[in-house]
Structures are given as C-alpha cells and as structure tokens.
Amino acid sequence: MPATKKSNPELGPTVFVLFGATGDLAKRLVLPAFYRLAQEGLLPKQWLLVGNGRGDIAHEDFRKHVRDALTEFAERPAKKEWKAFAERVFFAGGGFTGDSPGSLLDDLAKAREALGGDPQLVHYLAVPPVAFEELTRALGQHGLARNARVVYEKPFGTSPESFRRLDRVVHSVLDEQQVYRIDHFLGKEATQDLHTLRFANGLFDAMWNRRHVESVQIDVPEKLGITDRSVFYDATGAVLTCSSRTCSRWPPRWRWSRRPAWARWTCRPPGRR
C-alpha cells in the first residue's frame, strides 16, 4: 500500500453511509476500495464512515470486520494507517426503514456534530436491488435525502418496467444530479481491455465481425459458491448479473447479425471446493 497522500482540499466534510455494510458486496469490493481511497488521499480532509445493517454490532466489532475484509480481499493494513482509518469508522445497527430507522439517525447526529457544520451525506446502497425502493423512501421520510448523494449498485431494475418503477420512486425523493448508478464490474480491467482490443486494434477491427466469427461464447467462472448470496440470485439471476457487464460493451447489432452468442456462469467450477 503506498504512503497516504494529503486529503483532497476541495471536498468539504463528508459522512459516508454504507448500507449493507456487513454484506458480501461491501466486504469484497466496497470496503477495500474505500480504504484505498483513504490511503491515496482521495477522500475529504474531514470524513466519517457509518456502516448500517440489521444486526446490532458494536463499533469495535465492525472495525474488526472491516480489517478482516481488507486482510482477505486487499492486503492487511499497516498498524499506523489502520489506527488513523479505524477511528473514523462507526456502525449503526437495527436496520433502516421508514417505520424503524434503527440507530442510524442518532449515530448520524453524532457524526455531524463531530465534523461540525452541515457535512455532505453520501449514501452507498450495497444491498440487494429489491431493497432499493424501501431504502430510498426511508431516506426521504427521515430527512436524509436533502442535498445528499446516493449510489445505487447494479442492477437498477431487472426489466424496463421495473427500471421505470424504481426510477419514479428515486425521482420522487431525489433529483437526478443526486443519483449515481454504478456497475463495479465495468471498471474491471478485463472488461475495459476487451473493449480496447476490439476497437483500437487494426487487425481485430477488420476481422472481428460477423463475416469471420461463427459464434461468441462468454464464460464467467467463480471460485466461490452462492452461499449467502441466494436471495440476490433468486431475485436477479446469474444471466442478468453477467449480461449487465458484457452487453454494455457489445458492438452494434449489425456487426453480429445472425451470429449466436452464449454466456455460461459457474459460481464454483467442477472439482473445486
């Protein structure tokens, strides 16, 4: 891990609220990325991270969870850097709904008081997509949407109809400039490199089309099983999860007219445990 750089002076005090803070997505991707941002000096000078989940977890226990996640999916933090990072990390339990906000409102009040003034709120929804509507409404009901920024992880709806329904809910609470929809896989080097290989290479640009390619097959093997992601897969499905990261990089339809395409997704390849 490179040495910590100076924080971004242009960003004001900010409270980051991570919904689904103890879930699989947060553990594997969001928390390691957030720690790296802190070490690279890309966060505001004054910031706090408040994790949220259904369980009642002490702040110290959540910090241990974060450190374990960094050790497993990034690299073990150095003692000095970790101490400076951990003292800014807190947890608000009891879930968060319109009827029951848990301890989040109280913990955010403490965070705002600690930073002073009126800090920016950034809500990161690292939760199953079926929870987006309820969480969005709850943000509005409890006054946490004003001037806030809200990050939605993929998929934002599972069909045109569900997208429009969710979009209406989002815009009943937030302005478009407050909303950020993200697919973390589109930032993966393998996806970006495939796009560059196809369109920036003169050899492949001439050959990689329907006249020279019989079919397209995409394999997405994973080492881990479904385990605690079963709710996500029941609601979303592997095909949508896979296609969301590949179809957005697909060439125009006319280039591949009448050429079949297959996608295979395996959560744990045969013979592995």
Side-chain angles (χ1 to χ4, degrees), residues 10-245:
E10 299 180 359
L11 301 176
T14 304
V15 179
F16 297 92
V17 184
L18 178 57
F19 293 95
T22 58
D24 187 76
L25 174 60
K27 178 175 65 175
R28 294 177 178 277
L29 295 172
V30 181
L31 290 171
F34 190 86
Y35 182 75
R36 185 61 181 257
L37 289 175
Q39 297 308 298
E40 290 288 347
L42 298 175
L43 296 181
K45 182 178 181 180
Q46 292 180 283
W47 64 267
L48 294 174
L49 172 64
V50 179
N52 175 258
R54 291 190 297 267
D56 290 319
I57 303 175
H59 299 315
E60 283 302 324
D61 291 336
F62 179 60
R63 291 165 185 156
K64 181 180 183 303
H65 169 82
V66 174
R67 187 168 190 176
D68 291 343
L70 297 177
T71 301
E72 182 176 0
F73 297 105
E75 58 183 82
R76 187 174 182 84
K79 186 175 182 179
K80 181 179 179 181
E81 285 77 7
W82 169 250
K83 185 177 184 299
F85 180 86
E87 62 187 14
R88 299 171 181 249
V89 176
F90 302 90
F91 188 83
F96 182 74
T97 65
D99 296 331
S100 176
S103 64
L104 182 59
L105 298 182
D106 292 336
D107 283 296
L108 283 182
K110 295 176 183 177
R112 284 168 159 163
E113 183 179 357
L115 293 181
D118 186 20
Q120 172 77 60
L121 286 179
V122 177
H123 304 294
Y124 196 112
L125 275 58
V127 297
V130 294
F132 286 168
E133 289 189 26
E134 183 179 23
L135 271 176
T136 301
R137 289 193 178 97
L139 290 175
Q141 291 171 8
H142 294 293
L144 299 182
R146 185 180 64 86
N147 297 327
R149 299 293 185 268
V150 183
V151 182
Y152 294 87
E153 272 280 2
K154 69 167 182 73
F156 192 88
T158 56
S159 66
E161 293 75 17
S162 62
F163 171 89
R164 285 190 285 267
R165 182 175 62 252
L166 176 57
D167 204 48
R168 285 193 295 269
V169 172
V170 169
H171 285 107
S172 70
V173 177
L174 305 161
D175 295 330
E176 179 60 30
Q177 65 181 8
Q178 297 178 266
V179 180
Y180 187 68
R181 305 169 185 85
I182 184 175
D183 183 345
H184 50 266
F185 285 107
L186 294 184
K188 294 284 188 178
E189 293 180 358
T191 304
Q192 295 175 342
D193 290 347
L194 179 64
H195 190 249
T196 303
L197 178 67
R198 167 61 182 85
F199 291 102
N201 187 304
L203 174 63
F204 286 109
D205 185 59
M207 300 292 293
W208 200 346
N209 56 53
R210 68 178 186 273
R211 291 188 296 273
H212 303 285
V213 177
E214 180 182 9
S215 64
V216 177
Q217 301 184 34
I218 302 171
D219 288 277
V220 188
E222 283 195 276
K223 295 181 180 179
L224 68 160
I226 292 178
T227 60
D228 57 353
R229 300 185 297 169
S230 58
V231 174
F232 172 81
Y233 276 101
D234 282 344
T236 305
V239 173
L240 182 61
T241 303
C242 177
S243 62
S244 65
R245 76 182 73 166

